[in-house]
Amino acid sequence: LLPLLHKMGAVSKSTVLEVTREDLVDRKSEARTVFKTRRILEKAAGGVLYLNDAYTLLPSTARPRARDHGGAALREMARNLGTGSPLVVMSGTSPILQRILTSEIGFKGHFLTRLELPDPTPAQIARMTFAKLSQKGLVPADSLTMDHLSELIETNTDEEWRLDRPVADLLVQGVRAELRKRLQTNDDMSRTSITPLKMFSGSGNRMPAMKPEEVYVTVEDVQNAIVNGM
């Protein structure tokens, strides 16, 4: 859809730059965040700047206030809206986008079009989760099917709770946290054993280059993510 904006004449360049919080915010200071955001705006000038998951720029109790500079990035983007370059597209849940658009940050009256899509079903959330896991290089185990994940989402979350939350993103975050715990446990256990690297050390031989092992996501990882992270 976004590349069509150039063909329609809405923007002068075919550039479509997709960014997230990490691309805009510098945890060290507000000034560095403003500079970082300006660089992104310059890079996307003449084309489309797509801000994915805009909710991540809002204040969060999960982040220390001294490092929560998402508001500075939003204000800098709002200052630039009057130029019309780049054309800014934001995505997020309806209530959260409403908070941004009606805030005093400076977005009022600048967004000409608003598309509101139906809330995703558990099956659609499962498909989005699988896609996001793939983007992170994570592979669902054979036991974790899309139908099984859909059933887990439907039976462990309330429909009203799902309305105002990016469930797929929260689920992926929770799964990654569970994987870190699991991999850390495996790493601690491996330190007590003789590894192939130790066996080869000092022998003058080099270990053959091997392809990194894929990280599999199990049903247990998802269940723990829902219980502990959502």
Side-chain angles (χ1 to χ4, degrees):
L1 177 61
L2 296 181
L4 291 177
L5 292 172
H6 174 245
K7 295 181 179 180
M8 294 166 55
V11 291
S12 59
K13 295 181 180 179
S14 58
T15 304
V16 176
L17 183 60
E18 180 177 351
V19 295
T20 62
R21 176 186 172 87
E22 293 180 0
D23 301 303
L24 300 169
V25 176
D26 191 309
R27 292 186 301 171
K28 293 183 179 179
S29 73
E30 183 173 314
R32 291 168 72 101
T33 295
V34 170
F35 176 77
K36 196 172 182 179
T37 303
R38 286 177 180 172
R39 293 289 299 271
I40 290 293
L41 290 168
E42 292 170 0
K43 188 175 180 180
V48 178
L49 178 62
Y50 173 49
L51 174 56
N52 193 11
D53 298 332
Y55 76 94
T56 59
L57 293 178
L58 294 172
S60 171
T61 55
R63 292 186 290 267
R65 291 189 62 183
R67 294 185 180 180
D68 199 357
H69 305 302
L74 284 173
R75 285 192 296 273
E76 190 59 32
M77 292 178 65
R79 289 193 190 100
N80 189 75
L81 285 176
T83 68
S85 176
L87 178 67
V88 177
V89 177
M90 294 194 302
S91 69
T93 61
S94 181
I96 289 177
L97 287 181
Q98 186 66 19
R99 280 179 58 192
I100 295 175
L101 297 180
T102 58
S103 70
E104 298 301 323
I105 292 176
F107 288 101
K108 288 181 181 178
H110 284 96
F111 281 84
L112 302 178
T113 304
R114 176 176 173 176
L115 300 177
E116 191 162 341
L117 304 176
D119 295 308
T121 64
Q124 291 170 328
I125 294 173
R127 284 197 293 271
M128 288 188 283
T129 303
F130 265 57
K132 289 177 181 291
L133 289 174
S134 178
Q135 290 173 0
K136 300 293 183 183
L138 303 175
V139 181
D142 291 340
S143 58
L144 182 60
T145 65
M146 207 169 295
D147 288 339
H148 193 169
L149 178 56
S150 175
E151 183 180 346
L152 285 173
I153 294 170
E154 186 168 13
T155 57
N156 290 278
T157 63
D158 182 79
E159 182 178 359
E160 185 175 348
W161 181 89
R162 293 195 298 266
L163 292 181
D164 298 340
R165 290 170 174 82
V167 181
D169 291 304
L170 293 174
L171 193 51
V172 171
Q173 290 174 14
V175 165
R176 295 180 72 187
E178 293 302 319
L179 288 174
R180 282 193 291 270
K181 294 177 188 176
R182 177 153 59 85
L183 294 174
Q184 180 63 45
T185 300
N186 292 343
D187 183 56
D188 291 340
M189 293 176 62
S190 68
R191 290 174 186 172
T192 63
S193 62
I194 299 177
T195 65
L197 201 59
K198 291 179 182 178
M199 293 174 64
F200 275 82
S201 62
S203 64
N205 296 323
R206 297 186 63 184
M207 289 284 290
M210 298 180 67
K211 182 180 179 180
E213 293 185 3
E214 292 178 321
V215 179
Y216 288 93
V217 179
T218 66
V219 173
E220 185 179 3
D221 291 327
V222 174
Q223 290 173 330
N224 289 338
I226 292 175
V227 172
N228 300 326
M230 297 176 62

